[in-house]
């Protein structure tokens, strides 16, 4: 990695993956390293709605959130190359997936269930996990979503170590793909 020039993004890079995969943390650091902008789709959705994600789910339901998410991602992708972290369900929406395939490069930040659970169980702000057995809910989502996430252009394992190791793995993947 060190002996190769840093990759230059020709299209926006969209990070996909489960809640707890580290899309926001890794995305922000990766953007800094590559000298491009960083946007978190969930924060944009909240700004557009004037409400937090739990409030949007509670007041309007998941379908309404997904509509907003689709619109916000479409608006954001109409821009210069930058890095976009998306919420875990965004890539499951067929229209959003097609849009990402047309306008961007997708990178799946993959993590195993134990690592995801270790991270998400520390915080309670994810409405989809407000269930009787949130670990099982997370496992069900992993099972349903991973075959779809596998359609991403690039796959990088989110490591349970220093964040920069995962950032470096993303840079390697981008270099290998010569994007
Ligand atoms: C969701 C993940 C969340 C947020 C919403 C729904 C999901 O984002 O978009 O709570 O469907 O997995 P993160 O993946 O950033 O936690």
């Amino acid at each position: 990695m060190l002996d190769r020039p840093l990759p230059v993004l020709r299209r926006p890079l969209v990070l996909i993956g489960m809640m707890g995969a580290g899309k926001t943390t890794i995305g922000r650091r990766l953007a800094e390293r590559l000298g491009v902008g960083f946007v978190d789709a969930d924060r944009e959705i909240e700004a557009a709605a004037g409400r937090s994600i739990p409030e949007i789910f509670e007041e309007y339901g998941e379908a309404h959130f997904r509509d907003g998410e689709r619109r916000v991602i479409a608006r954001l992708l109409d821009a210069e190359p930058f890095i976009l972290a998306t919420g875990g369900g965004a890539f499951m929406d067929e229209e959003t997936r097609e849009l990402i395939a047309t306008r961007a490069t997708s990178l799946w930040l993959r993590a195993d269930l134990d690592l995801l659970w270790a991270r998400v169980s520390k915080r309670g702000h994810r409405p989809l996990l407000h269930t009787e057995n949130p670990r099982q809910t997370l496992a069900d989502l992993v099972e349903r979503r991973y075959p779809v996430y596998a359609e991403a252009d690039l796959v990088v394992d989110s490591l349970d170590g220093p964040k920069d190791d995962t950032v470096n793995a993303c840079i390697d993947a981008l270099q290998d793909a010569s994007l």
Side-chain angles (χ1 to χ4, degrees):
M1 191 221 42
L2 291 174
D3 50 351
R4 290 196 276 177
L6 284 172
V8 176
L9 297 183
R10 295 200 178 87
R11 310 166 100 197
L13 179 70
V14 177
L15 300 189
I16 67 156
M18 281 294 287
M19 16 190 167
K23 293 161 296 192
T24 303
T25 317
I26 300 302
R28 190 169 282 127
R29 288 183 187 219
L30 183 60
E32 263 169 38
R33 287 276 293 279
L34 300 185
V36 297
F38 171 78
V39 178
D40 186 283
D42 282 347
R43 299 295 81 75
E44 292 288 319
I45 296 163
E46 291 183 325
R51 286 171 171 73
S52 70
I53 287 177
E55 284 167 352
I56 301 172
F57 269 75
E58 201 178 312
E59 284 179 44
Y60 305 109
E62 181 174 352
H64 181 95
F65 170 77
R66 297 296 173 202
D67 287 344
E69 182 174 54
R70 194 181 309 114
R71 278 198 303 275
V72 164
I73 291 175
R75 166 171 63 75
L76 290 169
L77 284 185
D78 203 12
E80 293 292 301
F82 72 112
I83 296 180
L84 176 66
T86 59
F91 200 70
M92 298 304 292
D93 181 279
E94 201 178 336
E95 228 178 279
T96 303
R97 209 158 57 240
E98 279 171 16
L99 189 83
I100 292 172
T102 316
R103 298 212 203 139
T105 300
S106 49
L107 186 154
W108 172 21
L109 215 43
R110 182 173 59 191
D112 66 28
L113 181 62
D114 288 339
L115 180 58
L116 295 172
W117 177 246
R119 290 180 181 162
V120 301
S121 55
K122 287 187 206 140
R123 297 177 66 195
H125 68 294
R126 287 170 167 116
L128 288 184
L129 298 182
H130 294 167
T131 61
E132 298 251 306
N133 185 347
R135 196 179 196 285
Q136 187 57 48
T137 305
L138 194 67
D140 293 343
L141 286 170
V142 162
E143 198 173 309
R144 201 168 335 125
R145 290 176 173 182
Y146 277 20
V148 180
Y149 288 169
E151 292 177 27
D153 298 314
L154 305 170
V155 183
V156 169
D157 284 310
S158 180
L159 306 166
D160 186 18
K163 304 267 181 280
D164 281 334
D165 289 355
T166 303
V167 173
N168 288 337
C170 291
I171 291 176
D172 279 344
L174 288 164
Q175 282 167 331
D176 290 346
S178 34
L179 292 164

